[in-house]
Amino acid sequence: MRDLLPEEALRLRLIEEKAREIARLYGYEEVITPLIEYYELLAAKIGEENRKRMYVFEDLGGRKVALRPEFTASIARLIATKMRMKPKPIRLFSTGSLYRYDEPQFGRYREFWQANFELFGSEMPEADAEIILLTDDLFSKIGLKNYCFKIGHVGILRGIFEEEGIGEEKQNGIMQLMDKKEWDEALRFIKQSATSQKCLDSIRGLIEISGRSTSVLDEIREVIEDYPRAINAVENLNEIISLLKAGGLNTDFTVEAGFARGLEYYTGLIFEVYVSEMDIALGGGGRYDKLVELFGGERIPGVGMAAGIDRISLALEKQGVELQYEKPERIIVIPIERSMLGEAFRVASALREGGFSAEIESMGRSIARALSDADRRGISFAVILGPKEMREGMVALRCMAKRKQVTVKMDELSDKIRELISED
Ligand code: HAM
């Protein structure tokens, strides 16, 4: 796990703030769930790969618990228990750290951060479209360039498997292999499951199909024409894609028929977001209509997305994009003599009241050294308190960039600083 130094921590928090702003704009209310949950809850539908990577331990009360590897299970638990009776739809936002014992490598950490959005209560394609359009809006507001969506539908593969009588556990095994792009292994596994040649050919055909236009859907329809459940899934995907186009999706997408995700709870649309500079996903999500009922609730469908904040931060760095935010002007207050420290604290307080970021010289340095240090740290103004000026209710205000100094009345200090800033 990493230590995040100021620059990285700031970027992480700024991305988080953008996500919170999107949540407010789309009506997603923030919830905070615990970092630790019962192992069984987190492990239930997370998929074999993710399950193996959970931090699991026994607490002092003898309970088998784990650090959360994602938010979705916790939020579904919340819906099944405390929010079951709330009018639908329910839109929820969460952000925080997650834990997976992944092999540390570029963009893959054991502690990482997500901004997570979930919409409960609707089975309609407009709910799926909202999640993708929201994701699009988030990535574009953050300033990422040339990101694109990879889109698929779990119902296409599962539809075929169900009609071929392949049980859920076997299906999950196949999907795990497909998620890792171990196609040959997946096909071998399907063959072993005593299915028809038609099934094998269809899956082989689907793996090959991917493309940017909706004609891809026609190609898929051709391959799966004998599997009505899979056809329903394609029609659902078609409706979602039509809504995305009508709704003004800002960016490109690719439909991949053989696309699978490691998480087992998905039942419909699945998607991931990529930039060309990186081959790992910056975000991912999809529809899961059976998770809430698994946690003791009634059947409440859900669709959601998690944006990987650490990876977004890496992508911004790679693309040379700086996150825009309002930086308060930084000011240092330097007393010439120690006897003026009390006054220095009061001046700094007044500046903060005025919306500036103020600090006092706290190293006991000479003015010259304090000023050169302020230069080094990008401080905009220095307020110097000298005994003579103080007796007259005045202070010296130095503009660090222009190396110019003026004498200002103490109670006009904030106004004068604002005036100098607006002159630039
Ligand atoms: P996920 O695809 O497992 O989905 O994770 C979402 C995002 O979290 C990934 O696209 C990636 O950016 C980031 N991420 C995952 N693992 C790591 C890691 N080890 N290091 C850095 N970043 C990582 C989910 O978690 C689902 N719960 C998303 C969802 C919400 N589906 C429906 N609702």
Side-chain angles (χ1 to χ4, degrees):
M1 293 181 194
R2 300 155 297 156
D3 295 312
L4 299 183
L5 300 184
E7 222 176 277
E8 281 173 291
L10 173 67
R11 242 200 335 255
L12 187 145
R13 293 298 182 212
L14 288 174
I15 297 167
E16 194 176 275
E17 208 28 66
K18 284 270 181 244
R20 191 169 279 116
E21 189 187 314
I22 289 285
R24 273 193 292 266
L25 291 174
Y26 282 75
Y28 285 68
E29 293 177 294
E30 185 158 357
V31 286
I32 300 174
T33 55
L35 201 73
I36 294 171
E37 297 263 7
Y38 282 111
Y39 167 78
E40 299 301 336
L41 179 118
L42 295 172
K45 286 279 170 194
I46 187 105
E48 186 53 25
E49 280 295 314
N50 287 322
R51 195 176 299 125
K52 283 193 302 208
R53 296 174 192 278
M54 279 165 62
Y55 283 85
V56 187
F57 59 100
E58 194 180 288
D59 73 3
L60 290 179
R63 303 171 194 92
K64 189 175 180 186
V65 292
L67 298 184
R68 62 184 179 198
E70 58 143 7
F71 284 111
T72 309
S74 302
I75 311 290
R77 169 185 60 73
L78 211 62
I79 294 290
T81 55
K82 302 189 173 134
M83 301 185 82
R84 190 168 89 240
M85 307 305 276
K86 292 249 183 227
K88 314 291 179 303
I90 304 175
R91 293 181 169 90
L92 298 177
F93 167 73
S94 296
T95 180
S97 57
L98 295 310
Y99 302 84
R100 296 183 192 174
Y101 199 81
D102 274 327
E103 275 318 304
Q105 48 187 287
F106 177 76
R108 203 174 288 282
Y109 308 113
R110 288 180 177 163
E111 181 183 45
F112 60 97
W113 275 258
Q114 283 183 350
N116 188 83
F117 299 78
E118 311 285 359
L119 196 171
F120 291 96
S122 171
E123 268 177 337
M124 307 301 285
E126 45 268 47
D128 305 69
E130 171 175 315
I131 288 291
I132 292 197
L133 289 169
L134 173 157
T135 308
D136 181 30
D137 211 358
L138 172 64
F139 279 71
S140 110
K141 287 225 164 73
I142 285 172
L144 272 171
K145 294 180 277 195
N146 305 325
Y147 58 90
C148 70
F149 284 89
K150 177 163 122 184
I151 298 179
H153 198 296
V154 172
I156 301 175
L157 295 172
R158 288 206 190 263
I160 296 176
F161 296 146
E162 276 164 24
E163 288 182 43
E164 289 284 342
I166 301 178
E168 200 180 318
E169 234 164 76
K170 277 198 175 151
Q171 287 183 28
N172 292 342
I174 301 166
M175 302 292 264
Q176 290 286 321
L177 293 168
M178 293 185 77
D179 174 44
K180 289 190 281 178
K181 298 198 167 40
E182 294 178 9
W183 310 120
D184 291 341
E185 249 331 278
L187 289 169
R188 218 181 341 267
F189 203 99
I190 295 168
K191 214 169 175 177
Q192 279 168 9
S193 307
T195 54
S196 65
Q197 186 60 36
K198 187 180 73 182
C199 171
L200 210 58
D201 291 343
S202 303
I203 302 295
R204 201 176 278 129
L206 287 176
I207 291 171
E208 311 262 296
I209 300 177
S210 110
R212 286 172 188 274
S213 70
T214 20
S215 62
V216 172
L217 297 183
D218 290 331
E219 287 178 53
I220 301 176
R221 281 188 193 102
E222 247 173 65
V223 173
I224 57 163
E225 59 186 359
D226 294 332
Y227 296 101
R229 287 184 207 180
I231 290 172
N232 283 345
V234 179
E235 295 322 319
N236 178 239
L237 189 56
N238 187 27
E239 275 191 84
I240 296 167
I241 290 175
S242 304
L243 286 172
L244 292 179
K245 287 183 170 168
L249 186 73
N250 284 313
T251 189
D252 267 351
F253 64 87
T254 312
V255 176
E256 284 195 17
F259 173 30
R261 281 175 41 78
L263 299 153
E264 267 166 19
Y265 46 66
Y266 293 121
T267 54
L269 166 86
I270 47 169
F271 66 94
E272 282 173 349
V273 187
Y274 287 89
V275 284
S276 56
E277 292 85 352
M278 286 159 63
D279 61 359
I280 43 178
L282 304 192
R287 169 167 288 283
Y288 50 97
D289 287 349
K290 296 184 189 150
L291 193 59
V292 176
E293 67 190 70
L294 189 75
F295 298 151
E298 61 234 63
R299 187 183 152 92
I300 299 177
V303 54
M305 180 282 292
I309 296 180
D310 314 72
R311 291 188 186 174
I312 293 175
S313 175
L314 285 172
L316 289 172
E317 229 181 321
K318 281 204 171 280
Q319 297 188 342
V321 177
E322 291 245 352
L323 281 160
Q324 302 302 318
Y325 68 104
E326 253 182 57
K327 274 184 222 151
E329 218 65 50
R330 290 176 69 191
I331 301 172
I332 182 141
V333 182
I334 311 170
I336 290 185
E337 290 170 4
R338 289 190 65 73
S339 61
M340 278 177 259
L341 270 169
E343 196 58 39
F345 277 114
R346 279 200 291 275
V347 170
S349 256
L351 287 169
R352 290 182 202 116
E353 289 283 324
F356 301 108
S357 161
E359 56 189 274
I360 66 159
E361 161 55 31
S362 53
M363 300 282 285
R365 288 179 284 216
S366 69
I367 296 199
R369 289 193 54 197
L371 287 176
S372 77
D373 180 64
D375 250 343
R376 183 179 63 82
R377 291 190 300 127
I379 286 176
S380 315
F381 295 95
V383 175
I384 302 160
L385 310 184
K388 182 168 155 285
E389 289 87 351
M390 294 281 303
R391 273 194 297 277
E392 294 160 10
M394 311 284 274
V395 291
L397 173 64
R398 183 181 176 84
C399 172
M400 300 301 294
K402 293 185 183 151
R403 301 188 180 282
K404 267 196 190 152
Q405 201 159 306
V406 285
T407 310
V408 190
K409 272 196 191 151
M410 194 102 81
D411 50 11
E412 289 171 6
L413 184 57
S414 287
D415 289 341
K416 184 67 190 172
I417 294 173
R418 261 189 282 276
E419 188 188 310
L420 291 175
I421 293 169
S422 67
E423 278 172 15
D424 282 340

